Amino acid sequence: MGIDRDFIEFAFPGSVPPSAPRALLSLKAAGDMKYAPLGESAARLSFFRRLGIEPERVLGIRLKHSRNVAFIETKEDLQVLLGARPEGFDGIVTMNPLLVPSITVADCMPIYLFCEKTGAFGVLHSGWRGTGILRTAVQGMVERYGCRPSDISVIFGPAIGACCYAVDQNRAALFGREFGLSSVREEKRGGEVRYYIDLLAANIGLAQALGITRYAAVQACTYCDGRFASFRRDGPQHFTRMLALLLSPFPY
């Protein structure tokens, strides 16, 4: 894990080939990376420029907290899918190295994927409602590209930790029923029982059930660590969004 002033770079686990994309996440210092379909903001354009990315290569989506993944090979493919599915998408996977899949996060987990066998790569947005999107992505990569789960490397990026992700009892129960007891915590604080969701534990459990053997987990809580943007810490009026993207080293 390497940090440059306003972004952080993660390494895919294991011995990955030179064709592996760079997994990047902007930090809070880079400014608000909110996606707008009608034009890029000054903060996003500045960030792309520093990374040497042509803005027209970047794929962005309005997040819906769904488990839907767009499998595309051109920007036009994405527009067609968005028009056909009003419920939207929270992940993008492609085999086209010219494209730069991206999503935004501010406590939810960015998940980066790379298939060594086929070169397919993508990024997912996984919050409590969207946890399970990893299953959609991996199944799609297997069916569409011929990947094997053991060929897919995964990075679980920074997200709000179980230390801070307090939820009500009903939500905790729903999450625990789907993702196992290790995905929720029950603690007594100040004489009151409180419930916490563990996004990382839930996604690691999913990865293992899917047959993913190569994954790396970033041990950082976006609420606790001031370098990261956090909706829960900063509030709806003041929070910013971080940009998670995958950048192929061989775009031409």
Side-chain angles (χ1 to χ4, degrees):
M1 182 173 70
I3 301 176
D4 197 348
R5 295 169 303 171
D6 60 1
F7 73 90
I8 188 168
E9 182 167 353
F10 312 108
F12 280 101
S15 179
V16 295
S19 58
R22 298 174 66 192
L24 306 173
L25 177 71
S26 70
L27 296 174
K28 187 176 180 181
D32 190 4
M33 295 290 149
K34 181 179 179 180
Y35 170 71
L38 298 181
E40 298 288 9
S41 67
R44 285 171 65 99
L45 288 173
S46 175
F47 189 63
F48 299 154
R49 186 167 52 250
R50 293 196 302 279
L51 291 172
I53 301 172
E54 297 86 349
E56 59 270 17
R57 293 173 54 202
V58 180
L59 301 172
I61 46 177
R62 282 180 168 169
L63 303 174
K64 302 289 188 177
H65 296 274
S66 71
R67 300 181 184 184
N68 300 330
V69 178
F71 295 90
I72 54 90
E73 303 311 323
T74 68
K75 293 192 78 169
E76 291 71 25
D77 290 345
L78 181 58
Q79 295 308 310
V80 170
L81 285 178
L82 290 172
R85 297 190 66 173
E87 67 272 27
F89 298 89
D90 281 79
I92 302 173
V93 176
T94 185
M95 287 184 65
N96 185 347
L98 286 170
L99 300 179
V100 181
S102 75
I103 51 96
T104 57
V105 287
D107 279 336
C108 293
M109 177 178 288
I111 302 177
Y112 307 85
L113 306 101
F114 171 62
C115 176
E116 180 177 333
K117 177 182 176 182
T118 67
F121 62 104
V123 63
L124 315 173
H125 167 259
S126 180
W128 79 268
R129 281 183 290 182
T131 300
I133 192 172
L134 178 63
R135 182 185 297 114
T136 307
V138 170
Q139 289 175 346
M141 293 171 76
V142 169
E143 294 167 3
R144 294 168 180 268
Y145 305 132
C147 300
R148 296 175 303 182
S150 58
D151 296 323
I152 300 173
S153 294
V154 178
I155 300 169
F156 299 116
I160 188 169
C163 52
C164 299
Y165 201 174
V167 299
D168 60 57
Q169 185 176 6
N170 289 337
R171 188 185 301 186
L174 286 171
F175 201 79
R177 279 198 293 271
E178 184 169 5
F179 302 110
L181 295 178
S182 65
S183 68
V184 294
R185 297 185 185 180
E186 181 179 327
E187 296 182 11
K188 193 170 184 178
R189 297 188 182 183
E192 179 184 359
V193 177
R194 302 191 70 181
Y195 302 88
Y196 299 84
I197 281 178
D198 193 330
L199 294 176
L200 180 57
N203 277 291
I204 287 177
L206 274 172
Q208 293 172 340
L210 289 165
I212 301 292
T213 58
R214 291 185 296 179
Y215 58 85
V218 179
Q219 301 290 337
C221 172
T222 50
Y223 189 104
C224 293
D225 191 329
R227 296 175 301 164
F228 300 111
S230 170
F231 176 86
R232 286 202 165 204
R233 182 191 63 227
D234 299 331
Q237 303 302 319
H238 303 289
F239 85 101
T240 59
R241 299 160 184 84
M242 301 179 291
L243 185 68
L245 59 83
L246 279 172
L247 180 61
S248 172
F250 301 120
Y252 303 108

